[in-house]
Amino acid sequence: MEQGRIETAEKDMEAHIDEFEEKLGYRFKDKELLKLALTHRSFVREEGSGKTGSNERLEFLGDALFDAIVGEAMYRRMEDEKEGALTKCRSHVVCEASLADRGRETGIGAAIRMGKGEEAAGGRDKTSIIADALEAVIGAMYLDGGFDVTRETVLRLFDRRIEMAIGGELFTDYKSRLQELAQKYGVADIKYETVKESGPPHDKTFFVQVKVNGKTAGRGKGKSKKEAEQEAAKEAVIGEVGHVF
């Protein structure tokens, strides 16, 4: 019975990996390399280090490639900007939050191999785990298909974010950006409210809403109130909060 459960779980994981590749827009020739990129260290701890490795080395490689690809794109597109402006602009795209946002859109969370404990703690939606896995996939893609295909895929996935960053539309501190917009409209009444908490004391998830002039402008969740507030502010900013002013 246990063997049947394991086989079913493996088939489900294969389906998730297939869906992820479809959304990624790249099919790996070496499927084992992709599986390695999608293996969190918690899985290694539970399965035993002799059976498999984690994605941490591939994450290291992918991080370097991601920085270089985005940096080159900005260097070519921002011809009149100096180093400081380029560095600041790149940081908005290569940050953990940006990677996690795109990772969630590709469905990578469902395809990650992780330990039961980490999964029970909400690991499939953790920003750090999703961001690290997507970087690992970038590293694996380079080894599997070379630099050109990696560059093409990364730019296709992040081109909109790169353009938003260049245009000053992408932010890492959405609470500050929301405050700036409120001041622009002459509004001072911005309040963040924790509407719900879930999970055990050591692993809580917070649900927050932000109100502008008493009207709900955005909602967010996170493993801390600060993270949840940033997510709520992000939803408000992306929604161009004008409807609540």
Side-chain angles (χ1 to χ4, degrees), residues 26-188:
Y26 177 77
R27 293 288 179 182
F28 275 77
K29 296 183 288 291
D30 185 346
K31 298 298 183 182
E32 292 304 312
L33 184 61
L34 173 58
K35 287 182 180 179
L36 179 59
L38 295 170
T39 301
H40 186 254
R41 61 178 176 273
S42 63
F43 181 85
V44 179
R45 285 198 298 267
E46 291 191 8
E47 293 295 315
S49 60
K51 293 185 178 181
T52 185
S54 78
N55 61 6
E56 291 177 341
R57 282 173 53 84
L58 285 172
E59 177 200 338
F60 165 80
L61 178 60
D63 175 66
L65 288 162
F66 188 45
D67 277 5
I69 292 168
V70 174
E72 180 199 15
M74 290 183 168
Y75 177 84
R76 294 184 182 281
R77 299 182 197 186
M78 302 170 69
E79 295 180 349
D80 298 325
E81 297 292 347
K82 295 182 179 180
E83 178 189 1
L86 290 169
T87 300
K88 182 178 180 180
C89 193
R90 182 182 62 182
S91 70
H92 293 318
V93 179
V94 301
C95 65
E96 186 178 81
S98 175
L99 279 158
D101 280 350
R102 200 63 183 102
R104 290 188 178 99
E105 291 169 11
T106 61
I108 195 173
I112 298 173
R113 297 195 293 180
M114 64 179 62
K116 294 178 182 177
E118 186 64 65
E119 184 169 12
R124 294 199 183 279
D125 194 45
K126 282 186 179 178
T127 294
S128 59
I129 291 177
I130 292 174
D132 290 349
L134 188 55
E135 283 189 322
V137 167
I138 291 171
M141 194 187 313
Y142 168 73
L143 296 178
D144 189 71
F147 181 77
D148 288 344
V149 71
T150 304
R151 180 178 180 275
E152 176 186 343
T153 304
V154 167
L155 291 180
R156 175 165 38 78
L157 290 173
F158 287 90
D159 189 70
R160 174 58 181 153
R161 284 167 171 75
I162 291 171
E163 289 300 315
M164 288 177 69
I166 291 173
E169 302 172 43
L170 201 60
F171 310 94
T172 54
D173 184 357
Y174 284 93
K175 289 182 69 175
S176 295
R177 179 55 179 164
L178 179 59
Q179 187 65 46
E180 291 173 2
L181 286 172
Q183 291 173 353
K184 173 183 175 181
Y185 287 100
V187 173

